[in-house]
Amino acid sequence: MCQLLGLNCATPTDASFSFTGFCQRGGATDHHADGWGIAFFEGRGLRLFVDHQCAAESRMAEFLRSYPLKSRNIIAHVRKATIGDVRLENAHPFSRELWGRHWVFAHNGDLKDYQPRLHSQFQPVGTTDSERAFCWLMQELAKSHAGLPSVEELTLTLRELLPQVRRFGSINFLLSNGDALWAHCSTKLHYLVRQHPFTQATLMDQDWTVNFAELNQPGDRAAVIVTTPLTRNEQWTAFEPDELKVFVDGLPVEVA
């Protein structure tokens, strides 16, 4: 299985602390050594970095840890290959355009014998079940809405679509269009919200403690979503099985 990391923030924020601990799981403290990737939204722009090498030893990952980019929505992934060879085209996150916006998707889980019918606009480049699921979701969202709908409408549509994918196996995923971040849990996913009054946090996978009170202003806020908690001294909340959450401005948003 793979591991996921997402940040949804009220103000542009760098992911260097979380990304540093997360990268150790890509071949150092864990066995997810079959590629990695990270995507940063900047307004309507997108910076996407992927590599088929392990994150713990990647020179590109080292560069990004030392040269942090700030964003309000960040999605990262370290891969343990189950379906699809270890190739660059199979590295997550994946990106597609819909309604004139970049969409980014990363997946953890296995979808057995999953071969959805895909039309010409959304086709996989690689051979993973994850990219096929992403293409199908984009296709069905495009069929359901004539233009970019609200975050609430998108959340309701995703809720209707997900059972059609879920019956093929597990689909833990992160999805963003730069406005919001959607997180779905089939088996395991956790989140926390860092906000004023900020405290210290210590990574589990590396000896590094940060006092966020020294780095943040009262208006800063960040939701961190991850497969397995990254820090040892913060309160993480586990998702319920088959729960879909959407995060906006660093907070989970309730959609009835």
Side-chain angles (χ1 to χ4, degrees):
M1 290 292 188
C2 309
Q3 290 216 9
L4 302 166
L5 167 66
L7 279 81
N8 171 266
C9 310
T11 56
T13 302
D14 76 70
S16 56
F17 177 71
S18 296
F19 186 58
T20 296
F22 186 67
C23 280
Q24 299 309 304
R25 299 177 179 182
T29 60
D30 214 330
H31 56 262
H32 305 84
D34 298 329
W36 66 275
I38 187 168
F40 304 84
F41 283 90
E42 293 186 23
R44 289 201 172 189
L46 178 71
R47 297 181 189 266
L48 176 62
F49 302 86
V50 292
D51 193 351
H52 65 287
Q53 305 295 327
C54 69
E57 300 177 2
S58 168
R59 295 291 297 275
M60 187 188 301
E62 180 183 357
F63 165 75
L64 291 171
R65 292 195 298 271
S66 61
Y67 184 71
L69 297 168
K70 291 190 175 184
S71 173
R72 293 181 61 191
N73 286 282
I74 300 168
I75 291 177
H77 181 274
V78 289
R79 183 173 184 236
K80 174 63 177 175
T82 54
I83 299 176
D85 295 336
V86 180
R87 298 177 183 271
L88 187 61
E89 62 265 31
N90 289 332
H92 308 216
F94 304 106
S95 175
R96 293 293 188 277
E97 179 275 329
L98 178 59
W99 301 309
R101 303 293 294 272
H102 292 291
W103 291 76
V104 170
F105 176 89
H107 168 234
N108 163 23
D110 286 325
L111 301 171
K112 302 297 185 183
D113 301 317
Y114 182 65
Q115 297 291 339
R117 180 176 295 181
L118 298 172
H119 306 316
S120 59
Q121 183 179 355
F122 299 103
Q123 292 289 331
V125 176
T127 57
T128 65
D129 54 336
S130 307
E131 192 180 14
R132 289 194 292 273
F134 179 37
C135 288
W136 184 81
L137 286 172
M138 290 292 95
Q139 171 182 286
E140 298 306 306
L141 286 176
K143 288 163 59 177
S144 300
H145 303 279
L148 180 64
S150 67
V151 169
E152 291 77 12
E153 290 176 300
L154 283 166
T155 304
L156 294 173
T157 304
L158 285 170
R159 281 182 185 169
E160 294 176 356
L161 294 174
L162 283 170
Q164 299 181 57
V165 183
R166 181 71 173 92
R167 62 193 180 93
F168 289 91
S170 57
I171 179 166
N172 308 292
F173 74 73
L174 299 176
L175 171 71
S176 181
N177 64 355
D179 290 334
L181 192 151
W182 288 266
H184 179 263
C185 173
S186 288
T187 54
K188 185 166 67 171
L189 208 58
H190 298 78
Y191 80 96
L192 61 75
V193 174
R194 292 191 182 117
Q195 59 187 342
H196 184 77
F198 294 96
T199 59
Q200 289 187 346
T202 301
L203 290 173
M204 296 183 69
D205 298 85
Q206 189 162 320
D207 185 17
W208 188 11
T209 298
V210 165
N211 183 359
F212 285 104
E214 298 176 349
L215 303 175
N216 291 277
Q217 303 299 317
D220 295 335
R221 183 173 57 242
V224 185
I225 304 97
V226 70
T227 302
T228 302
L230 285 172
T231 55
R232 63 178 77 254
N233 57 340
E234 293 183 289
Q235 186 65 44
W236 294 84
T237 300
F239 281 62
E240 296 295 327
D242 295 313
E243 183 177 18
L244 175 68
K245 285 186 175 294
V246 59
F247 297 83
V248 177
D249 293 333
L251 288 172
V253 176
E254 295 296 330
V255 178

